[in-house]
Amino acid sequence: MTGTLVLAGTPIGDLGDAPPRLAEELASADIVAAEDTRRLRRLAQGLGAVIGGRVVSYFEGNEAARTPELADELARGARVLLVTDAGMPSVSDPGYRLVAAAVEREVRVTAVPGPSAVLTALALSGLPVDRFCFEGFLPRKAGERAARLGEAAGERRTLVYFEAPHRLAASLTAMAEAFGPGRRAAVCRELTKTYEEVRRGPLAELAEWAAGGVRGEITVVVEGVGESAPARTDAAELARLVAEGEAAGLHRKEAIADVARAAGVPKRQVFDAVVAARVAGEAVSRRP
């Protein structure tokens, strides 16, 4: 008989949001794998729960090395409970490797559903929730961050990001450049905690606000390209719009940026369209 891997959601702020089953799982698990063992013990104390099994750490630094050990325990029949510092395991937190290893060994994987910063922020944002995609944390380096945002510029689904408070202003500024300054967004801070705040507005306005400094756990929700937004993604049309901008006095780089924002596509796509149009034009001019 193989064991069972249990993924348990933990409060993202308010301890009262802990799933009722969490205390039962803490008491019955053979092994509790925790992102931070000290936080785990504080959580158990707050819930009045007794941890019945062995406690091991399972965080980004040791996840790769510890996964085989826990997978072996599961294969021998252990019940392993996985908890992270806040929210559901595997969602920008440790867990994916262990789930994949358990599935490979045909070990049962189940969950104790609990709080999620992604869904909470999405619901509070005031933006469309029928279709969305979670993008996790953006890269720290400016160039890589711009490239990632450029890939998402034409996304019609609502976008959800996690961000560190000291990088929030830079990320919002980069979003305004990639998506357009007027794209609606919501910055959700300290969800379910005493100083919970949801700041809504255009990206440029939010970036200006964040420049003054923001504290706490941050989730950013950004609207996708709406049905009313230009969807002019045909290469020839993109090139024509750039030509119009240049004829109006813009430098090519500025015209490309304006067309990319209006069409909701990456600047690289517009640049490639301009190059393709130029090559096609040169080919036509060379014909006898």
Side-chain angles (χ1 to χ4, degrees):
M1 291 290 291
T2 58
T4 299
L5 174 61
V6 183
L7 309 177
T10 56
I12 59 176
D14 192 327
L15 186 63
D17 294 334
R21 283 173 48 206
L22 180 55
E24 299 175 12
E25 291 291 347
L26 287 170
S28 62
D30 299 304
I31 300 172
V32 180
E35 185 175 11
D36 186 321
T37 57
R38 291 170 298 181
R39 288 194 181 188
L40 167 67
R41 297 191 188 283
R42 288 198 296 269
L43 173 64
Q45 183 178 13
L47 297 176
V50 176
I51 301 175
R54 178 164 58 97
V55 174
V56 300
S57 63
Y58 190 77
F59 60 99
E60 184 179 359
N62 72 356
E63 185 179 2
R66 181 140 285 170
T67 292
E69 301 173 15
L70 293 175
D72 287 343
E73 294 284 1
L74 287 165
R76 287 193 287 265
R79 187 175 185 85
V80 177
L81 176 68
L82 178 61
V83 296
T84 54
D85 291 347
M88 286 296 297
S90 294
V91 183
S92 278
D93 276 333
Y96 167 75
R97 285 188 177 93
L98 186 53
V99 172
V103 170
E104 184 177 355
R105 295 183 180 226
E106 298 184 349
V107 170
R108 179 173 178 258
V109 181
T110 187
V112 177
S116 167
V118 175
L119 296 180
T120 303
L122 187 68
L124 295 178
S125 69
L127 298 173
V129 298
D130 53 333
R131 299 176 66 227
F132 70 93
C133 54
F134 174 56
E135 292 289 314
F137 284 93
L138 286 168
R140 298 183 181 185
K141 295 182 179 180
E144 295 176 2
R145 180 171 56 218
R148 177 77 62 81
L149 291 171
E151 294 173 357
E155 177 60 64
R156 291 191 175 275
R157 294 171 294 180
T158 298
L159 300 154
V160 184
Y161 296 90
F162 285 162
E163 192 50 278
H166 62 281
R167 291 197 298 268
L168 178 62
S171 289
L172 289 171
T173 298
M175 288 178 184
E177 293 174 355
F179 302 156
R183 184 83 70 92
R184 293 187 302 160
V187 176
C188 304
R189 187 180 71 86
E190 294 289 88
L191 290 172
T192 77
K193 299 179 183 177
T194 302
Y195 298 104
E196 176 181 284
E197 178 182 18
V198 180
R199 177 79 59 147
R200 306 174 182 88
L203 280 169
E205 180 182 303
L206 291 173
E208 184 178 355
W209 161 74
V214 180
R215 295 181 179 181
E217 300 288 335
I218 305 293
T219 305
V220 180
V221 185
V222 185
E223 74 172 337
V225 177
E227 294 298 330
S228 60
R232 298 170 292 191
T233 57
D234 176 75
E237 177 67 3
L238 293 174
R240 186 186 68 78
L241 292 169
V242 172
E244 286 183 358
E246 290 184 278
L250 294 176
H251 293 294
R252 176 165 293 182
K253 186 175 181 180
E254 295 174 322
I256 287 174
D258 283 355
V259 171
R261 280 195 294 268
V265 298
K267 287 186 286 187
R268 182 70 193 186
Q269 182 176 341
V270 181
F271 175 79
D272 289 344
V274 171
V275 172
R278 186 187 65 198
V279 171
E282 292 173 352
V284 171
S285 66
R286 288 196 298 268
R287 290 177 182 174

